[in-house]
CSV table of all heavy atoms in Angstrom, one decimal:
chain,number,residue,atom,x,y,z
A,167,LEU,N,4.1,105.7,117.7
A,167,LEU,CA,4.9,104.6,117.0
A,167,LEU,C,5.8,103.9,118.0
A,167,LEU,O,6.3,104.6,118.9
A,167,LEU,CB,5.6,105.3,115.9
A,167,LEU,CG,4.8,105.9,114.7
A,167,LEU,CD1,5.7,106.7,113.8
A,167,LEU,CD2,4.1,104.8,113.9
A,168,PRO,N,6.2,102.7,117.7
A,168,PRO,CA,7.2,102.0,118.5
A,168,PRO,C,8.6,102.7,118.2
A,168,PRO,O,8.8,103.1,117.1
A,168,PRO,CB,7.2,100.6,118.0
A,168,PRO,CG,6.6,100.6,116.7
A,168,PRO,CD,5.6,101.8,116.7
A,169,VAL,N,9.4,102.8,119.3
A,169,VAL,CA,10.7,103.5,119.2
A,169,VAL,C,11.8,102.5,119.4
A,169,VAL,O,11.8,101.8,120.4
A,169,VAL,CB,10.8,104.7,120.2
A,169,VAL,CG1,12.1,105.4,120.0
A,169,VAL,CG2,9.6,105.7,120.0
A,170,PHE,N,12.8,102.5,118.4
A,170,PHE,CA,13.9,101.5,118.5
A,170,PHE,C,15.2,102.3,118.6
A,170,PHE,O,15.4,103.4,118.0
A,170,PHE,CB,13.9,100.7,117.2
A,170,PHE,CG,12.7,99.9,116.9
A,170,PHE,CD1,11.6,100.4,116.3
A,170,PHE,CD2,12.7,98.6,117.4
A,170,PHE,CE1,10.5,99.6,116.1
A,170,PHE,CE2,11.6,97.8,117.2
A,170,PHE,CZ,10.5,98.3,116.6
A,171,GLY,N,16.1,101.7,119.3
A,171,GLY,CA,17.5,102.2,119.4
A,171,GLY,C,18.4,101.0,119.5
A,171,GLY,O,18.0,99.9,119.9
A,172,THR,N,19.7,101.1,119.0
A,172,THR,CA,20.7,100.0,119.2
A,172,THR,C,21.6,100.3,120.3
A,172,THR,O,22.1,101.5,120.4
A,172,THR,CB,21.4,99.8,117.9
A,172,THR,OG1,21.9,101.0,117.3
A,172,THR,CG2,20.6,99.0,116.9
A,173,PHE,N,21.9,99.3,121.1
A,173,PHE,CA,22.7,99.4,122.3
A,173,PHE,C,23.5,98.1,122.4
A,173,PHE,O,23.1,97.1,121.9
A,173,PHE,CB,21.9,99.6,123.6
A,173,PHE,CG,21.0,100.8,123.5
A,173,PHE,CD1,19.7,100.8,123.1
A,173,PHE,CD2,21.5,102.1,123.9
A,173,PHE,CE1,18.9,101.9,123.0
A,173,PHE,CE2,20.7,103.2,123.9
A,173,PHE,CZ,19.4,103.1,123.4
A,174,MET,N,24.7,98.2,123.1
A,174,MET,CA,25.5,97.0,123.3
A,174,MET,C,24.7,95.9,123.9
A,174,MET,O,24.9,94.7,123.6
A,174,MET,CB,26.7,97.3,124.2
A,174,MET,CG,27.8,98.2,123.5
A,174,MET,SD,28.4,97.3,122.0
A,174,MET,CE,29.6,98.6,121.5
A,175,ASP,N,23.8,96.2,124.8
A,175,ASP,CA,23.1,95.2,125.6
A,175,ASP,C,21.6,94.9,125.1
A,175,ASP,O,20.8,94.4,125.7
A,175,ASP,CB,23.0,95.6,127.1
A,175,ASP,CG,22.2,96.8,127.3
A,175,ASP,OD1,21.8,97.5,126.3
A,175,ASP,OD2,21.9,97.2,128.4
A,176,GLY,N,21.4,95.4,123.8
A,176,GLY,CA,20.0,95.2,123.3
A,176,GLY,C,19.8,93.8,122.8
A,176,GLY,O,20.7,92.9,122.8
A,177,GLU,N,18.6,93.5,122.3
A,177,GLU,CA,18.3,92.2,121.7
A,177,GLU,C,18.8,92.1,120.3
A,177,GLU,O,18.7,93.0,119.5
A,177,GLU,CB,16.8,92.0,121.7
A,177,GLU,CG,16.2,91.7,123.1
A,177,GLU,CD,14.7,91.5,123.0
A,177,GLU,OE1,14.3,90.6,122.2
A,177,GLU,OE2,14.0,92.2,123.6
A,178,ASN,N,19.3,90.9,120.0
A,178,ASN,CA,19.9,90.6,118.7
A,178,ASN,C,18.9,91.0,117.5
A,178,ASN,O,17.9,90.4,117.4
A,178,ASN,CB,20.1,89.0,118.6
A,178,ASN,CG,20.8,88.6,117.4
A,178,ASN,OD1,20.7,89.3,116.3
A,178,ASN,ND2,21.5,87.4,117.4
A,179,ILE,N,19.4,92.0,116.8
A,179,ILE,CA,18.5,92.5,115.7
A,179,ILE,C,18.2,91.4,114.7
A,179,ILE,O,17.1,91.5,114.0
A,179,ILE,CB,19.2,93.7,115.0
A,179,ILE,CG1,18.2,94.5,114.1
A,179,ILE,CG2,20.4,93.4,114.3
A,179,ILE,CD1,18.7,95.8,113.6
A,180,TYR,N,19.1,90.4,114.5
A,180,TYR,CA,18.9,89.4,113.5
A,180,TYR,C,17.8,88.4,113.9
A,180,TYR,O,17.3,87.6,113.1
A,180,TYR,CB,20.2,88.6,113.2
A,180,TYR,CG,21.3,89.5,112.7
A,180,TYR,CD1,22.6,89.4,113.2
A,180,TYR,CD2,21.1,90.4,111.6
A,180,TYR,CE1,23.6,90.2,112.7
A,180,TYR,CE2,22.1,91.1,111.1
A,180,TYR,CZ,23.4,91.0,111.7
A,180,TYR,OH,24.4,91.8,111.2
A,181,LYS,N,17.4,88.4,115.2
A,181,LYS,CA,16.5,87.4,115.7
A,181,LYS,C,15.1,88.0,116.1
A,181,LYS,O,14.3,87.3,116.8
A,181,LYS,CB,17.1,86.6,116.8
A,181,LYS,CG,18.3,85.8,116.3
A,181,LYS,CD,18.8,84.8,117.3
A,181,LYS,CE,19.7,83.8,116.5
A,181,LYS,NZ,20.7,83.2,117.5
A,182,ASN,N,14.9,89.3,115.9
A,182,ASN,CA,13.7,90.0,116.3
A,182,ASN,C,12.8,90.2,115.0
A,182,ASN,O,13.3,90.4,113.9
A,182,ASN,CB,14.0,91.3,116.9
A,182,ASN,CG,14.1,91.2,118.4
A,182,ASN,OD1,13.2,91.5,119.1
A,182,ASN,ND2,15.2,90.6,118.9
A,183,ILE,N,11.5,90.1,115.3
A,183,ILE,CA,10.6,90.5,114.2
A,183,ILE,C,10.5,92.0,114.2
A,183,ILE,O,10.1,92.6,115.2
A,183,ILE,CB,9.2,89.8,114.4
A,183,ILE,CG1,9.4,88.3,114.3
A,183,ILE,CG2,8.2,90.3,113.4
A,183,ILE,CD1,8.2,87.5,114.8
A,184,LEU,N,10.8,92.6,113.1
A,184,LEU,CA,10.9,94.0,113.0
A,184,LEU,C,9.7,94.6,112.2
A,184,LEU,O,9.4,94.1,111.2
A,184,LEU,CB,12.2,94.5,112.4
A,184,LEU,CG,13.4,93.9,113.1
A,184,LEU,CD1,14.7,94.2,112.3
A,184,LEU,CD2,13.6,94.5,114.5
A,185,PRO,N,9.0,95.5,112.8
A,185,PRO,CA,7.8,96.0,112.1
A,185,PRO,C,8.1,97.0,111.0
A,185,PRO,O,9.2,97.4,110.8
A,185,PRO,CB,7.1,96.8,113.3
A,185,PRO,CG,8.2,97.3,114.1
A,185,PRO,CD,9.3,96.3,114.0
A,186,GLN,N,7.1,97.3,110.2
A,186,GLN,CA,7.3,98.3,109.1
A,186,GLN,C,6.8,99.7,109.5
A,186,GLN,O,6.7,100.6,108.6
A,186,GLN,CB,6.6,97.8,107.8
A,186,GLN,CG,7.3,96.6,107.2
A,186,GLN,CD,8.8,96.7,107.0
A,186,GLN,OE1,9.3,97.7,106.5
A,186,GLN,NE2,9.6,95.8,107.5
A,187,GLU,N,6.5,99.9,110.8
A,187,GLU,CA,6.2,101.2,111.3
A,187,GLU,C,7.0,101.4,112.5
A,187,GLU,O,7.1,100.5,113.4
A,187,GLU,CB,4.7,101.3,111.6
A,187,GLU,CG,3.8,101.5,110.5
A,187,GLU,CD,2.7,102.5,110.8
A,187,GLU,OE1,2.1,102.4,111.9
A,187,GLU,OE2,2.5,103.4,110.0
A,188,GLY,N,7.6,102.6,112.7
A,188,GLY,CA,8.4,102.8,113.9
A,188,GLY,C,9.4,103.9,113.7
A,188,GLY,O,9.7,104.3,112.5
A,189,ILE,N,10.0,104.3,114.8
A,189,ILE,CA,11.1,105.3,114.7
A,189,ILE,C,12.4,104.7,115.2
A,189,ILE,O,12.4,104.0,116.2
A,189,ILE,CB,10.7,106.5,115.7
A,189,ILE,CG1,9.4,107.2,115.2
A,189,ILE,CG2,11.9,107.5,115.7
A,189,ILE,CD1,8.8,108.1,116.2
A,190,ILE,N,13.4,104.7,114.3
A,190,ILE,CA,14.7,104.1,114.6
A,190,ILE,C,15.7,105.3,115.0
A,190,ILE,O,15.9,106.1,114.1
A,190,ILE,CB,15.2,103.3,113.4
A,190,ILE,CG1,14.2,102.3,113.0
A,190,ILE,CG2,16.6,102.7,113.8
A,190,ILE,CD1,14.5,101.7,111.6
A,191,ILE,N,16.2,105.3,116.2
A,191,ILE,CA,17.0,106.4,116.6
A,191,ILE,C,18.5,106.0,116.4
A,191,ILE,O,18.9,104.9,116.8
A,191,ILE,CB,16.9,106.6,118.2
A,191,ILE,CG1,15.4,106.6,118.6
A,191,ILE,CG2,17.6,107.9,118.6
A,191,ILE,CD1,14.7,107.9,118.6
A,192,MET,N,19.2,106.9,115.8
A,192,MET,CA,20.7,106.7,115.6
A,192,MET,C,21.4,107.8,116.4
A,192,MET,O,21.0,109.0,116.3
A,192,MET,CB,21.1,106.8,114.1
A,192,MET,CG,20.4,105.8,113.2
A,192,MET,SD,20.6,104.1,113.6
A,192,MET,CE,22.4,103.9,113.6
A,193,GLY,N,22.4,107.4,117.1
A,193,GLY,CA,23.1,108.3,118.1
A,193,GLY,C,24.3,109.0,117.5
A,193,GLY,O,24.8,108.7,116.4
A,194,ASN,N,24.7,110.0,118.3
A,194,ASN,CA,25.9,110.8,118.0
A,194,ASN,C,27.2,110.0,117.8
A,194,ASN,O,27.3,108.9,118.4
A,194,ASN,CB,26.1,111.8,119.1
A,194,ASN,CG,27.4,112.5,119.1
A,194,ASN,OD1,28.4,112.1,119.6
A,194,ASN,ND2,27.4,113.6,118.4
A,195,GLU,N,28.1,110.4,116.9
A,195,GLU,CA,29.3,109.7,116.5
A,195,GLU,C,30.2,109.3,117.7
A,195,GLU,O,30.7,108.2,117.7
A,195,GLU,CB,30.1,110.6,115.5
A,195,GLU,CG,29.5,110.7,114.1
A,195,GLU,CD,28.6,111.9,114.0
A,195,GLU,OE1,28.2,112.5,115.0
A,195,GLU,OE2,28.3,112.2,112.8
A,196,ALA,N,30.3,110.2,118.6
A,196,ALA,CA,31.2,110.0,119.8
A,196,ALA,C,30.5,109.4,121.0
A,196,ALA,O,31.0,108.5,121.6
A,196,ALA,CB,32.0,111.2,120.2
A,197,ASN,N,29.3,109.8,121.2
A,197,ASN,CA,28.6,109.5,122.5
A,197,ASN,C,27.4,108.6,122.3
A,197,ASN,O,26.8,108.2,123.3
A,197,ASN,CB,28.2,110.8,123.2
A,197,ASN,CG,29.3,111.8,123.3
A,197,ASN,OD1,30.4,111.4,123.7
A,197,ASN,ND2,29.1,113.0,123.0
Side-chain angles (χ1 to χ4, degrees):
Chain A
L167 295 169
V169 180
F170 297 86
T172 46
F173 301 92
M174 288 301 181
D175 65 352
E177 284 182 58
N178 184 337
I179 192 169
Y180 299 131
K181 296 194 167 155
N182 265 259
I183 294 165
L184 304 169
Q186 292 307 311
E187 280 222 314
I189 298 166
I190 304 165
I191 318 269
M192 302 304 302
N194 170 269
E195 289 89 346
N197 308 315

